[in-house]
């Protein structure tokens, strides 16, 4: 019910005057200043100002974490830059080096030029084990090159030590097929890249057969079949442990270690290979001693009935 006063317009009641509301200093929509409570200190605030007793929180809502030292960030950037440069350089070398799809045809041409049979017979396990033990004992696990051996070679050259050899069977095969009679650091790098390509393109038995088919064993014998028949009068499948070890020891210096011209030196290489077979766990020491004492049966030319073809 509306309460009015007499005398309003048209004989009605007029509304009583309303007391105006007290707005804050900012006008409508602004609250009047809050009065501090007795006994509580008043802390003035303003828009955007953090509340007292609470640390400022970043816009992300997470507290700032520890940052790496500037020198460490620079080192990491430098390492990443070097890694990227290495990847790009390796990719360029892959494109610049020849395709290894030609390896079988090159091996065939090589054997024909030297009167050897192609393809040669499968490589027997005794010769394969002997060759791996003395030339490349990580052959079955490496990716075409041996980082440990390469590091050893670099360290030896930097300190003036004799070159202990670091070329894998893949690299040696690449040298025989793609870079014969070439030398230098650039050629060695090319052989490493070609070795990686060979590993990616052929199986281990295929690499071993290609290698055995083009290796030179001295005394004019190219390929394992020619050397086996020429030195011992037997096919590769008939090689004994001492015969297989002697042939594997010839690939590094076939002329100097030729058993017909340099028997004592050749026997020393045979002993070395038998020792490596012991070190790799293929033979026991007793088996190696018996193999070394066994006769070699050198014939110095193909025996009747032995053929490498």
């Amino acid at each position: 019910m509306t309460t009015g006063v007499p005398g309003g317009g048209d004989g009605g009641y007029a509304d009583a005057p309303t007391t105006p509301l007290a707005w804050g200093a900012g006008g409508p929509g602004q609250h009047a200043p809050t009065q501090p409570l007795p006994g509580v200190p008043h802390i003035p605030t303003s828009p955007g100002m953090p509340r007292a007793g609470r640390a400022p929180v970043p816009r992300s809502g997470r507290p700032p974490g520890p940052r790496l030292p500037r020198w460490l960030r620079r080192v990491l950037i430098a390492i990443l830059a070097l890694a990227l440069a290495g990847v790009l350089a390796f990719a360029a070398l892959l494109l610049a080096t020849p395709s290894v799809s030609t390896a079988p045809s090159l091996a065939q041409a090589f054997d024909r030029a030297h009167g050897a049979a192609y393809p040669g017979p499968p490589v027997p396990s005794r010769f394969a084990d002997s060759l791996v033990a003395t030339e490349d004992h990580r052959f079955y696990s490496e990716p075409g090159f041996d980082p440990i051996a390469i590091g050893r070679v670099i360290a030896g050259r930097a300190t003036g030590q004799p070159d202990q050899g670091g070329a894998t069977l893949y690299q040696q095969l690449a040298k025989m097929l793609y870079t014969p009679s070439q030398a230098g650091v650039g050629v060695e790098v090319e052989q490493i890249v070609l070795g990686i390509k060979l590993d990616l393109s052929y199986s281990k038995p295929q690499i071993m057969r290609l290698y055995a088919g083009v290796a030179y064993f001295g005394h004019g014998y190219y390929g394992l079949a020619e050397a086996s028949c020429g030195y011992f009068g037997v096919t590769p499948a008939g090689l004994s442990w001492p015969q297989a070890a002697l042939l594997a020891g010839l690939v590094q210096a076939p002329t100097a270690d030729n058993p017909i011209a340099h028997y004592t030196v050749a026997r020393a290489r045979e002993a070395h290979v038998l020792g490596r077979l012991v070190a790799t766990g293929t033979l026991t020491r007793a088996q190696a001693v018996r193999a070394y004492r066994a006769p070699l049966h050198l014939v110095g030319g193909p025996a009747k009935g032995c053929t490498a073809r």
Side-chain angles (χ1 to χ4, degrees):
M1 177 177 181
T2 304
T3 304
V5 291
D10 296 333
Y13 288 90
D15 290 334
T18 304
T19 303
L21 296 176
W23 298 105
Q30 300 292 327
H31 295 292
T34 304
Q35 298 297 324
L37 297 177
V40 179
H42 176 64
I43 301 176
T45 60
S46 60
M49 181 177 178
R51 297 182 180 181
R54 183 176 299 177
V57 179
R59 293 181 182 272
S60 63
R62 293 179 297 180
R67 299 186 65 185
L68 294 175
R70 180 176 297 178
W71 68 267
L72 183 55
R73 294 200 301 271
R74 290 178 177 176
V75 169
L76 291 176
I77 292 173
I79 292 175
L80 290 175
L82 289 174
L84 178 60
V87 170
L88 293 176
F90 180 70
L93 286 171
L94 286 177
L95 295 174
T97 51
S99 169
V100 295
S101 62
T102 58
S105 60
L106 289 175
Q108 183 177 18
F110 183 92
D111 284 340
R112 284 180 177 175
H114 294 92
Y118 181 88
V123 180
S125 60
R126 287 179 176 175
F127 176 79
D129 290 343
S130 299
L131 186 66
V132 168
T134 188
E135 291 296 318
D136 186 7
H137 67 279
R138 283 183 279 267
F139 171 73
Y140 292 106
S141 60
E142 67 200 7
F145 72 105
D146 188 344
I148 297 175
I150 292 175
R152 185 177 64 246
V153 170
I154 294 174
R157 291 180 180 178
T159 57
Q161 299 296 322
D163 193 347
Q164 299 180 8
T168 63
L169 292 179
Y170 301 93
Q171 293 167 242
Q172 294 178 34
L173 178 60
K175 179 178 181 179
M176 290 186 285
L177 294 180
Y178 294 95
T179 59
S181 305
Q182 298 182 35
V185 176
V187 175
E188 292 176 356
V189 173
E190 182 179 359
Q191 291 166 3
I192 291 173
V193 177
L194 289 170
I196 295 172
K197 286 185 172 183
L198 287 168
D199 175 62
L200 294 174
S201 303
Y202 301 96
S203 66
K204 304 293 184 181
Q206 288 175 318
I207 293 294
M208 185 65 68
R209 193 169 185 176
L210 283 170
Y211 185 102
V214 298
Y216 181 54
F217 292 88
H219 206 65
Y221 300 137
Y222 286 89
L224 176 63
E226 293 285 343
S228 178
C229 282
Y231 283 127
F232 308 114
V234 298
T235 62
L239 288 171
S240 64
W241 273 116
Q243 292 169 341
L246 187 143
L247 289 180
L250 294 179
V251 297
Q252 280 298 313
T255 300
D257 297 340
N258 173 359
I260 295 176
H262 308 284
Y263 181 80
T264 302
V265 178
R267 290 305 305 273
R269 285 295 297 165
E270 176 198 350
H272 169 77
V273 176
L274 290 171
R276 290 297 305 153
L277 286 166
V278 173
T280 57
T282 306
L283 296 179
T284 65
R285 184 166 298 278
Q287 289 173 327
V289 171
R290 286 197 299 269
Y292 185 74
R293 292 175 178 173
L296 284 173
H297 301 296
L298 279 171
V299 297
K304 186 177 181 180
C306 178
T307 176
R309 301 183 184 277

